[in-house]
Amino acid sequence: MSRILVTFVVSLVLGLTACGQRSDTIVSIALHPTKPNIIYVATDEAVYKSSDTGATWTRFAGELARTRVITLALDPQLSATVFAGTMGDGTYKSPDGGRTWHPYNSGIQKGTISAIVNQIVFNPLGTEMVYAATTVGVFRSLDGGRHWTERMQGMTEVSFVVTLAIDPQRPNVLYAGTTGGVYRTFNATESWEKASTGMVASDAKMASMVLGVNGIVVDPTNSNVVYAGTTDGLYKSTDQAEHWTKIGGSVQHAYISAIQLDPTNPSILYMATSDRVQKSEDGGETWQPKIQGLEAASIRSLQMSPLDPRTLYVGTNGGGLYRTTDAGDSWSRLPLTPASGE
């Protein structure tokens, strides 16, 4: 069993046993693109929304009460539109900031009936084009999620897709992180090619499970530069994933669950490892732990504010939600305190 699957099973057990009805396992975090006071999180048992920067929270039920949400994504152009990717029940969409949810599963529900929707990303040129990374492949929608089509041509060795990243300067270029390294498309997922030179040996046995890629980020100022956080350290490419070099110094073999890059200073990166948050100020060559106030040891998710790169949120396995407003120098916990009257 891959380390990705092991981590998922452990996370599930921790989430179910941590805090009873109100889970302290934060599975996914989604931040409003223009209003820093609005935060969404998914736990093992519900989706929550805060409209006051995490002071109080509203719990959403309705259609989502029957399924477990794995990932959340906000439409960057229509920010009241929220997508939820689930375990075994496809995708759901809310047009009103989470108050109501509707299944958007045509073409994807059958394909992911016993699988997981790991991530949902929007094409920056038009958010009617949406992509989903799932445990049975990549799916694409051209109509805002109403209909989905599997897009796996060229991915002959893998089916478990963990993450997707879009080149912000060339939106037809996408990278897929899988359990067998990185794949790349130049034509908006019409076809894929393997792009793991320097990361996965060309003759690797069990190529579909040889190295899990949990997070990919593209430098917005120079999109030839791509970083990949994996189950065995950090890799960097300077030629659009043609070749990869392992970097990271003291964290070369860390299990990396998430990675974020400061768009105002791409030399600054953050990554969540299995037991802490690390920060680099030199493009990933060296790293320093950033754990003051961060009491939880197991990090599940990491998100940077789209408005202030010094503000980041961390979701943990069983330890709740944390925030820093000083670029990781200190962290404070944000309990999921219900809003008045809930």
Side-chain angles (χ1 to χ4, degrees):
M1 183 181 291
S2 76
R3 293 183 68 184
I4 292 176
L5 292 176
V6 170
T7 299
F8 170 74
V9 172
V10 171
S11 301
L12 177 59
V13 173
L14 285 172
L16 292 177
T17 60
C19 290
Q21 184 178 4
R22 189 173 292 273
S23 173
D24 276 351
T25 293
I26 307 298
V27 178
S28 181
I29 305 166
L31 306 176
H32 196 285
T34 61
K35 297 179 180 179
N37 58 303
I38 297 179
I39 310 163
Y40 296 83
V41 300
T43 74
D44 277 328
E45 41 78 33
V47 172
Y48 294 84
K49 177 183 179 181
S50 175
S51 298
D52 51 15
T53 324
T56 61
W57 297 83
T58 298
R59 172 176 167 160
F60 297 126
E63 286 290 329
L64 290 183
R66 301 176 302 172
T67 189
R68 182 167 179 258
V69 174
I70 300 298
T71 187
L72 294 169
L74 271 65
D75 187 325
Q77 296 180 14
L78 299 170
S79 51
T81 298
V82 189
F83 274 86
T86 74
M87 179 191 291
D89 201 20
T91 59
Y92 284 75
K93 184 176 181 178
S94 171
D96 52 13
R99 287 189 293 273
T100 60
W101 295 87
H102 310 283
Y104 270 55
N105 291 326
S106 178
I108 196 173
Q109 187 178 35
K110 181 179 179 181
T112 58
I113 193 166
S114 60
I116 303 165
V117 178
N118 290 313
Q119 188 181 14
I120 298 167
V121 297
F122 298 89
N123 188 306
L125 295 182
T127 54
E128 286 291 289
M129 185 180 291
V130 191
Y131 303 95
T134 83
T135 51
V136 293
V138 177
F139 288 79
R140 184 181 70 186
S141 173
L142 301 178
D143 55 9
R146 294 175 184 84
H147 304 89
W148 296 89
T149 305
E150 183 183 287
R151 311 305 305 175
M152 290 294 288
Q153 183 178 332
M155 285 195 187
T156 56
E157 295 179 321
V158 300
S159 61
F160 195 134
V161 181
V162 184
T163 187
L164 293 168
I166 298 180
D167 183 330
Q169 297 178 0
R170 293 165 283 203
N172 283 336
V173 178
L174 288 85
Y175 302 92
T178 77
T179 52
V182 173
Y183 285 74
R184 177 183 60 191
T185 176
F186 289 108
N187 52 19
T189 72
E190 291 294 327
S191 61
W192 295 88
E193 62 184 23
K194 197 170 186 177
S196 298
T197 301
M199 179 184 291
V200 175
S202 59
D203 60 348
K205 296 181 180 179
M206 294 294 293
S208 64
M209 301 296 285
V210 71
L211 180 70
V213 179
N214 293 334
I216 299 175
V217 292
V218 182
D219 185 335
T221 64
N222 177 8
S223 61
N224 289 321
V225 177
V226 188
Y227 296 89
T230 80
T231 53
D232 185 33
L234 180 69
Y235 290 80
K236 181 178 182 178
S237 172
T238 58
D239 55 10
Q240 282 190 284
E242 285 290 328
H243 306 88
W244 294 92
T245 302
K246 196 171 192 179
I247 62 173
S250 61
V251 295
Q252 277 202 6
H253 298 289
Y255 180 101
I256 301 170
S257 55
I259 183 168
Q260 294 283 297
L261 183 149
D262 184 340
T264 67
N265 184 352
S267 294
I268 297 178
L269 294 97
Y270 299 84
M271 67 180 180
T273 68
S274 55
D275 63 350
R276 63 189 59 198
V277 173
Q278 302 268 3
K279 180 181 179 181
S280 173
E281 297 182 350
D282 56 8
E285 295 297 329
T286 61
W287 294 84
Q288 296 293 326
K290 294 292 181 178
I291 56 174
Q292 182 177 330
L294 189 58
E295 298 177 1
S298 182
I299 309 299
R300 179 69 175 267
S301 50
L302 173 68
Q303 284 292 330
M304 178 181 290
S305 167
L307 302 175
D308 176 13
R310 293 176 57 83
T311 297
L312 295 96
Y313 293 82
V314 158
T316 70
N317 279 322
L321 178 69
Y322 288 80
R323 178 178 61 212
T324 178
T325 57
D326 54 15
D329 287 340
S330 61
W331 296 87
S332 57
R333 193 168 185 269
L334 301 176
L336 299 184
T337 305
S340 178
E342 238 197 297

